Amino acid sequence: MKQFIISLIICFLIPSCRSEQSDKKENPSSMEEVPNPGIDPNPVVDYNLWEIKDGKFFLDGQWVFLKIGKPLVDFSNETQVNRLIDNLDILRGKYYNTLELNCYWHQFDLNGDGVIDKSFDPLNRLINAIYEKGMYPCLSVETYAVGGGQIPAGFRELYPDAYAVNDKGERVKDTEYGFGSDVVSIFHPGYRATAREYIRNLARGLDTRKILYFETTVEPQYMGTINLCYGEHAKKAYQAWRAANNITDAASEMPASFPIPESFIRNETWNRFRAQFLAEWIDGDAAAYREIAGNQACIAVDYLDANEAEQFRRDGNPVEFLSALTAPDIIQVNWTWYFPTNTPNQKAYDRVWQVIRQAGKDWAVSEHMTFNGSDFTQYTATQLEKILENTLAQGTRFGWEFVSVTNNSGDSFSLYRDDWSPKRVIGFVDDHWGYWLQRVETVEKESRSQAK
């Protein structure tokens, strides 16, 4: 794969709380018995008081649980940004205290050379407006062409050989997520250098002190249904890694011709390399942020753990991958719920916590897309409750992320209708936010008690 109030001070705080829920019941019989908090008209605005530690966000030494909204709009587009600025008070009124701004590479850099071609003014005005309302701006990027991201068209002209290759020797398109975009090879040095130049240039144009955390590219992975990458750049990187690690056995050598046999695709050494290289790619992107924002900049990383049968394709070896990461402060788990069996995705959290405990990582654990507008529409209220309760049972104390916090009745991914009334899934959260804050507090107290 990093996880993110006083804008709303829904300030349910541990151990003492300035929450307006003074009349809350310790064991309510229904969600409706717990009132939603009021909105603080004078929130604290001071990034010097922000701190992420012990798996939580603190404002001036007090724990604040984050309600993170991700509005999927074009942040280089002045009209779309102005509309979002106009709606910030609506989002505050829905208890969002954190907004993550996902800046797609192709929207800001038109010719793919890593240099920003669009004005920073709209994005800067938005960040300032979020911050001044006592909310927390966060910045993420998509620099990978899987799952909706795009590589700027001009990049292909600069590096025509920077494409991913499957086990049959074919160039790969994103057929897994249905976007059909050409998939770039993360092993290509020109790709990594240019994407990181974009990250640095994006950060240079912003007041990074006002950014709570920076997320590396969304859902970093190879792919799940396609074996990759087996091109020349992957081979060179693998040969260099083998030499550096004094690995010489013939069984783990990359075959010289296609198709690549299944025995090599599943080879333990090859997949250990793939896991370490994936972590190195992410750490390098994080370093690009920190080169501009400073070493204290907090980094969030998505960890995608889906169908077990294809997990080795996505990251080589999940525990090796997580163990090799050095940059993250926040790990955002995806999937949090195992859709095929409609049960908690226990293996994902178990792996994250295994690495936290064994390696002594001080990671905040949260979720990538706790709810989004499309994946949960068929779930009953009881099932939605189980999903949220599961995140707390798994140790989430940082916050929840909701995508996309935009008002569009016709967009399946948007959580709100045109008039900002909540669609059913997000209404289950918004309408009972006071209850959920109380549940977070209760689960934390119970876990502390059990740890004694």
Side-chain angles (χ1 to χ4, degrees):
M1 338 47 286
K2 106 268 110 219
Q3 342 358 354
F4 353 92
I5 0 202
I6 284 309
S7 83
L8 8 152
I9 291 189
I10 53 175
C11 183
F12 117 80
L13 305 171
I14 302 289
S16 62
C17 179
R18 294 196 302 252
S19 170
E20 291 110 46
Q21 299 181 80
S22 58
D23 58 344
K24 69 184 180 183
K25 293 186 177 181
E26 288 300 323
N27 297 294
S29 59
S30 68
M31 292 182 178
E32 286 71 18
E33 289 189 23
V34 183
N36 280 344
I39 305 300
D40 191 336
N42 298 297
V44 176
V45 180
D46 188 348
Y47 51 73
N48 294 299
L49 302 177
W50 298 351
E51 187 177 16
I52 296 174
K53 65 178 182 180
D54 301 328
K56 305 179 182 75
F57 169 70
F58 292 85
L59 179 70
D60 198 16
Q62 295 181 299
W63 171 30
V64 179
F65 189 75
L66 301 182
K67 186 179 183 186
I68 305 162
K70 215 169 189 178
L72 298 182
V73 303
D74 181 351
F75 295 104
S76 70
N77 183 296
E78 186 171 14
T79 299
Q80 293 184 35
V81 169
N82 286 342
R83 186 180 303 124
L84 182 55
I85 291 174
D86 290 341
N87 289 323
L88 287 179
D89 283 332
I90 292 176
L91 292 172
R92 285 188 75 237
K94 297 179 182 296
Y95 306 106
Y96 290 99
N97 46 40
T98 308
L99 291 182
E100 185 173 339
L101 315 178
N102 189 17
C103 296
Y104 288 80
W105 183 7
H106 72 280
Q107 292 174 341
F108 284 83
D109 172 15
L110 302 181
N111 59 3
D113 60 359
V115 177
I116 306 298
D117 299 316
K118 295 289 193 73
S119 171
F120 279 104
D121 287 348
L123 182 57
N124 268 314
R125 281 190 287 104
L126 175 60
I127 289 171
N128 289 334
I130 294 169
Y131 176 78
E132 288 163 6
K133 289 184 180 295
M135 304 168 79
Y136 312 123
C138 303
L139 186 71
S140 66
V141 294
E142 286 211 34
T143 60
Y144 193 42
V146 173
Q150 298 179 37
I151 305 298
F155 175 82
R156 300 296 181 188
E157 298 175 8
L158 296 173
Y159 296 104
D161 61 337
Y163 50 82
V165 174
N166 67 13
D167 55 315
K168 298 179 179 62
E170 303 164 335
R171 292 178 61 162
V172 175
K173 290 185 178 293
D174 181 11
T175 55
E176 179 175 345
Y177 291 88
F179 290 95
S181 52
D182 289 326
V183 178
V184 70
S185 172
I186 70 170
F187 296 103
H188 193 285
Y191 160 70
R192 297 194 306 277
T194 309
R196 289 165 186 167
E197 185 63 12
Y198 166 68
I199 291 171
R200 284 189 290 268
N201 285 326
L202 183 66
R204 281 191 185 102
L206 308 174
D207 186 349
T208 56
R209 298 170 301 175
K210 296 177 180 176
I211 305 297
L212 176 58
Y213 62 78
F214 301 82
E215 183 180 336
T216 60
T217 196
V218 173
E219 296 187 8
Q221 57 170 317
Y222 295 103
M223 289 181 79
T225 62
I226 300 172
N227 294 312
L228 56 87
C229 175
Y230 295 87
E232 283 303 311
H233 297 288
K235 188 172 185 177
K236 288 178 182 178
Y238 183 48
Q239 289 172 337
W241 179 84
R242 282 169 58 86
N245 288 276
N246 299 312
I247 297 172
T248 59
D249 66 291
S252 65
E253 286 185 6
M254 182 180 283
S257 61
F258 297 101
I260 304 295
E262 184 73 9
S263 59
F264 181 77
I265 291 171
R266 292 182 174 271
N267 180 270
E268 181 179 344
T269 302
W270 164 244
N271 282 297
R272 181 158 57 93
F273 159 74
R274 292 174 70 241
Q276 291 182 12
F277 196 93
L278 190 66
E280 181 183 323
W281 169 44
I282 293 166
D283 286 343
D285 285 3
Y289 277 127
R290 285 177 171 148
E291 184 177 331
I292 307 304
N295 290 333
Q296 80 289 346
C298 290
I299 301 295
V301 173
D302 287 344
Y303 168 54
L304 180 57
D305 191 323
N307 294 310
E308 188 63 15
E310 63 191 34
Q311 192 61 29
F312 78 96
R313 293 191 183 94
R314 294 194 186 280
D315 56 22
N317 179 308
V319 173
E320 182 74 29
F321 163 62
L322 290 166
S323 299
L325 287 170
T326 62
D329 302 281
I330 305 153
I331 292 291
Q332 301 171 146
V333 178
N334 185 39
W335 301 341
T336 71
W337 196 255
Y338 196 65
F339 297 106
T341 57
N342 197 22
T343 57
N345 193 5
Q346 193 62 48
K347 63 186 175 63
Y349 288 100
D350 285 350
R351 286 164 173 162
V352 170
W353 283 104
Q354 175 186 341
V355 172
I356 288 175
R357 290 169 181 137
Q358 290 180 348
K361 305 279 190 182
D362 185 18
W363 287 344
V365 176
S366 67
E367 286 72 36
H368 170 59
M369 294 195 299
T370 310
F371 285 153
N372 61 49
S374 65
D375 290 340
F376 302 91
T377 55
Q378 302 304 312
Y379 281 70
T380 66
T382 299
Q383 290 171 323
L384 295 174
E385 182 177 8
K386 287 181 179 178
I387 292 171
L388 293 181
E389 287 285 354
N390 176 63
T391 68
L392 301 181
Q394 303 291 353
T396 297
R397 301 292 184 269
F398 186 68
W400 288 327
E401 179 186 279
F402 302 106
V403 188
S404 170
V405 291
T406 48
N407 59 322
N408 188 329
S409 299
D411 179 7
S412 64
F413 222 62
S414 292
L415 289 164
Y416 297 93
R417 302 182 184 90
D418 293 340
D419 63 358
W420 279 108
S421 60
K423 295 180 183 178
R424 188 181 64 85
V425 170
I426 197 62
F428 185 74
V429 179
D430 291 357
D431 294 345
H432 308 292
W433 188 240
Y435 170 83
W436 286 115
L437 288 180
Q438 183 169 327
R439 284 296 301 146
V440 175
E441 181 178 0
T442 299
V443 173
E444 171 66 2
K445 287 180 178 179
E446 290 172 349
S447 64
R448 285 185 178 184
S449 177
Q450 292 169 0
K452 291 180 180 179

